[in-house]
Amino acid sequence: MPQIHYLPDDRTIEIDDNDIILEASLRAGIPHTHICGGSARCSTCRVLIVEGLEFCSPRTSPEEDLAKKLHLEPEIRLACQTQVAGGKVILRRLAIDSEDLESFNDEIAGNLISAPVGQEKKIAILFADIRGFTAFAESLLPYDVIYILNRYFQKMGYAINRNGGMINNYMGDGFMALFGLENPDRAAEQAVRAGVEMLEELEKLNPYFETLYSHRLRIGIGIHCGLVVVGNLGAEQNQSVTAIGDAVNFASRIEAANKQVGTSLLISEETYQEIKDLAIVNQRVSVQIPGKSGEYPLYEVVGMPPLPIEIEDISEVEEKYYWQRFVKKLKRLIAAVRSWMRKIFGL
């Protein structure tokens, strides 16, 4: 019967042929970190095969992809993907400390694979940043800077929330917003609509800033749709929802590309393909993205058509209109009666 000997525990367990290492570990009550839940989307369950590599199954396709990305040696294997058959394997777990032990002990009894700390989703990510704000802020008092930023974030937040998004991270005078956390079907459209409305809100806000500070704010917005891991990040008592992944970094780079192109709202090719029948595009540009090879097509969006009014909404509007007309006529009638009474009875 196949066996697994664990280091540093110095413990041996017997398993069935073709048992997966991670499942065998958890079934035997051996703490084994697996942040993604055992789906080859992280490397925290990896082990060093000290002896018996020949008894381990070949790497699966997901493990092979991760091994290439992290440049892992053949002896480093993902426990969630590796089966053992026909002999004894001696291994050492590579991610294990007191906090891992505490998390393991808190897992629900009977679950072989604990719930992942995050969930992989395809969402839309929006980055926004105020152009030249640092230089402008240096000429102001700190309280004025806070006042301006709060007014700006409030208006931008309205546009984000109206379109089903949420701002989850503020970075100085910039922020990141996420769309499609609950339902990804219209995430791209919602993000682009929010971006267009943000520019409209800023145009309304700028005359006020210009009167007070003789300055108009300009912003850059970048939007990308892609696969990310969404989860809670931060200390246990102060966690917030965030998104991690290459798609987030790409969206940030798209926002920065506005500077070199001289635009205000750029979206990726992936985003454009989802809203090309709706978006009003001014131009298509090809730019180099830092950290990536080659050029990437980006699209400048200058507008979106208004959302269609639902029949229910029309009924509500009509009902409100007729009620307002009734109230106005009633007020005129009451005023006429009072005037007549004053003339007749001298009231």
Side-chain angles (χ1 to χ4, degrees):
M1 180 173 285
Q3 293 180 329
I4 302 176
H5 183 78
Y6 290 87
L7 300 173
D9 314 78
D10 195 23
R11 180 180 170 189
T12 301
I13 64 171
E14 292 187 346
I15 62 172
D16 296 328
D17 264 329
N18 297 317
D19 243 356
I20 294 173
I21 292 176
L22 178 60
E23 293 182 358
S25 301
L26 300 180
R27 188 167 58 241
I30 295 175
H32 205 140
T33 309
H34 49 290
I35 296 301
C36 74
S39 57
R41 303 301 296 174
C42 74
S43 67
T44 57
C45 74
R46 56 182 156 172
V47 295
L48 169 63
I49 305 297
V50 179
E51 291 182 17
L53 183 60
E54 66 273 19
F55 301 121
C56 296
S57 61
R59 281 176 171 154
T60 62
S61 178
E63 184 184 6
E64 188 66 39
D65 292 341
L66 191 146
K68 288 179 180 178
K69 183 175 183 178
L70 299 181
H71 308 289
L72 300 182
E73 296 296 328
E75 295 80 15
I76 304 297
R77 299 297 304 271
L78 293 186
C80 70
Q81 300 292 301
T82 305
Q83 296 175 305
V84 175
K88 182 177 181 178
V89 171
I90 300 176
L91 59 83
R92 179 180 294 275
R93 284 164 295 130
L94 299 180
I96 180 69
D97 58 20
S98 58
E99 291 188 8
D100 290 327
L101 284 169
E102 183 179 348
S103 297
F104 180 83
N105 291 332
D106 287 340
E107 288 180 9
I108 300 174
N111 282 356
L112 291 184
I113 304 296
S114 67
V117 297
Q119 186 176 2
E120 206 165 35
K121 295 182 178 182
K122 183 181 180 182
I123 63 172
I125 308 105
L126 180 152
F127 273 87
D129 187 71
I130 303 177
R131 296 286 172 257
F133 189 77
T134 301
F136 171 53
E138 288 175 351
S139 66
L140 302 175
L141 295 171
Y143 279 106
D144 287 82
V145 175
I146 294 175
Y147 172 75
I148 291 172
L149 286 177
N150 278 336
R151 287 296 298 270
Y152 165 75
F153 286 139
Q154 183 183 48
K155 293 297 183 181
M156 298 303 103
Y158 288 156
I160 297 293
N161 295 336
R162 275 197 304 265
N163 289 280
M166 61 167 286
I167 297 176
N168 78 308
N169 194 6
Y170 291 95
M171 302 152 285
D173 58 287
F175 63 83
M176 176 174 77
L178 308 178
F179 297 80
L181 292 176
E182 300 298 330
N183 183 1
D185 292 345
R186 295 180 55 238
E189 179 188 347
Q190 290 172 331
V192 176
R193 285 192 184 279
V196 171
E197 289 186 23
M198 285 168 61
L199 295 175
E200 294 172 352
E201 289 290 346
L202 189 62
E203 282 302 305
K204 299 174 185 177
L205 196 57
N206 262 329
Y208 180 71
F209 287 148
E210 198 167 21
T211 300
L212 283 180
Y213 303 105
S214 301
H215 184 84
R216 294 177 66 86
L217 297 183
R218 295 184 302 108
I219 63 174
I221 302 171
I223 300 172
H224 175 57
C225 293
L227 205 61
V228 299
V229 174
V230 178
N232 293 322
L233 189 67
E236 185 175 352
Q237 302 302 321
N238 191 30
Q239 291 189 334
S240 60
V241 176
T242 192
I244 303 292
D246 185 62
V248 175
N249 301 327
F250 193 36
S252 176
R253 299 290 190 271
I254 294 172
E255 181 278 311
N258 282 289
K259 297 178 183 177
Q260 65 184 85
V261 181
T263 53
S264 295
L265 173 52
L266 289 173
I267 65 174
S268 65
E269 175 72 34
E270 291 81 358
T271 309
Y272 174 73
Q273 289 302 323
E274 295 199 29
I275 53 93
K276 61 184 178 182
D277 295 330
L278 294 172
I280 303 172
V281 174
N282 183 47
Q283 60 176 320
R284 177 185 183 274
V285 296
S286 295
V287 301
Q288 290 186 331
I289 300 295
K292 293 183 175 291
S293 59
E295 293 189 337
Y296 288 79
L298 302 178
Y299 298 82
E300 180 191 11
V301 176
V302 294
M304 289 281 282
L307 287 168
I309 300 176
E310 301 291 340
I311 299 299
E312 292 81 359
D313 296 335
I314 295 175
S315 299
E316 289 177 6
V317 170
E318 289 179 343
E319 183 179 339
K320 184 177 180 181
Y321 170 71
Y322 288 127
W323 174 252
Q324 289 175 340
R325 286 187 61 187
F326 170 76
V327 171
K328 287 181 180 179
K329 289 183 177 180
L330 183 60
K331 287 181 177 179
R332 291 196 196 103
L333 178 60
I334 293 173
V337 171
R338 285 177 177 172
S339 177
W340 177 76
M341 290 179 69
R342 280 196 297 267
K343 291 179 181 178
I344 300 298
F345 301 102
L347 299 176

